[in-house]
Amino acid sequence: MKKGDIVEFYSRLAEENPHPETELESVNDYTLLVAVVLSAQATDAGVNRATRALFATVDTPEKMVALGEDGLKQHIKTIGLFNSKAKNVIALSQALIAEHGSQVPADRDALEKLPGVGRKTANVVMNVAFQQETFAVDTHIFRICNRTGLAPGKTPLAVEKKLDKATPQPFRLHAHHWLILHGRYVCKARKPECWRCIVADLCRYKPKTAEPAAKASGKKQNA
DNA sequence: ATCCCGAGGG
DNA sequence: CCCTCTGGAT
């Protein structure tokens, strides 16, 4: 996408979401990290439903270790991949206690060494907790960058590097959330709602979906 | 490339 | 039923 179009692209996303922020709920850096780990291949709403009760009493690595893997599983049973996530969160909490003074490190290499934390999760934590200009490429951002032509790439890392180069100020800090929110609610995986998309004229995606036919009488049509 | 694996939507 | 949801480890 051309430079001028990119500025216009972000400007409109910024108008669409004046106050971009995570929809994941947390009470401190530690619970944010846990929430992001739990959010892999899961919806934010589903993670929040499980963590609301959990974080009310368990908000430090020490309390999480005390809760234990089985205790944690009871809280997150409704989230996909809960067995491996429970194991990782306990191990991650032990690592924070042993190696980081029970604090969440603001360093990407240190974050990525934690069990269950990869590049994408580390990028989210650095952006949300430490206000770093990182570009976490999740399923939404990977899809939008390729579909629109904003920053096409074959792998998430390739897209991340292109995004980093292509995204100018003052959009760098919040680019991640603007793209996520647009992808979640408008540029959806299955049925992108191009008829109400504010950047449709800047987008290269061809098979635009049509606006659903208006229901004349409020009842379904019959055969 | 494959496995982990639940809820919600279509 | 199938697909998707802020992936990571092997």
Side-chain angles (χ1 to χ4, degrees):
Chain A
M1 196 178 287
K2 292 187 180 71
K3 196 167 183 176
D5 286 348
I6 291 176
V7 171
E8 182 64 22
F9 187 94
Y10 278 118
S11 297
R12 292 189 205 166
L13 292 191
E15 288 178 38
E16 186 173 51
N17 274 291
H19 304 293
E21 51 190 15
T22 326
E23 296 188 338
L24 279 176
E25 297 171 9
S26 62
V27 298
N28 54 33
D29 290 352
Y30 170 69
T31 51
L32 171 73
L33 171 60
V34 172
V36 178
V37 169
L38 295 179
S39 73
Q41 298 300 109
T43 61
D44 282 5
V47 172
N48 291 339
R49 202 178 309 126
T51 58
R52 215 114 53 187
L54 175 65
F55 293 163
T57 55
V58 180
D59 56 358
T60 67
E62 288 81 1
K63 291 176 185 174
M64 189 66 78
V65 171
L67 176 64
E69 191 174 318
D70 292 333
L72 177 56
K73 280 185 188 177
Q74 293 306 313
H75 281 274
I76 65 172
K77 258 194 169 70
T78 57
I79 305 176
L81 315 180
F82 71 90
N83 275 310
S84 52
K85 287 174 182 174
K87 187 183 190 117
N88 284 333
V89 168
I90 297 300
L92 160 170
S93 300
Q94 291 170 330
L96 288 181
I97 295 169
E99 299 164 32
H100 299 285
S102 298
Q103 298 298 115
V104 177
D107 172 63
R108 236 252 310 287
D109 291 330
L111 284 168
E112 283 192 41
K113 284 178 184 165
L114 297 171
V117 179
R119 189 179 183 90
K120 178 263 169 185
T121 298
N123 278 332
V124 173
V125 171
M126 286 192 292
N127 179 251
V128 176
F130 303 115
Q131 293 79 48
Q132 301 289 302
E133 293 171 359
T134 54
F135 301 84
V137 177
D138 58 23
T139 178
H140 292 302
I141 294 189
F142 187 76
R143 177 178 68 249
I144 285 200
C145 288
N146 280 296
R147 185 182 274 170
T148 62
L150 174 65
K154 295 186 184 71
T155 67
L157 183 59
V159 169
E160 180 184 332
K161 288 180 175 172
K162 275 201 177 182
L163 257 188
D164 190 16
K165 280 184 201 163
T167 306
Q169 296 293 14
F171 306 109
R172 295 178 60 79
L173 181 59
H174 297 300
H176 166 244
H177 284 120
W178 278 318
L179 292 170
I180 281 270
L181 293 169
H182 190 69
R184 181 176 299 166
Y185 297 113
V186 182
C187 193
K188 299 188 285 190
R190 280 208 209 168
K191 266 179 53 182
E193 301 180 358
C194 303
W195 70 87
R196 67 184 192 87
C197 176
I198 55 176
V199 291
D201 58 313
L202 304 173
C203 176
R204 71 179 184 183
Y205 184 60
K206 306 307 284 183
K208 318 261 185 192
T209 54
E211 180 174 3
K215 290 160 187 170
S217 64
K219 284 302 264 183
K220 286 191 176 193
Q221 84 274 26
N222 228 326

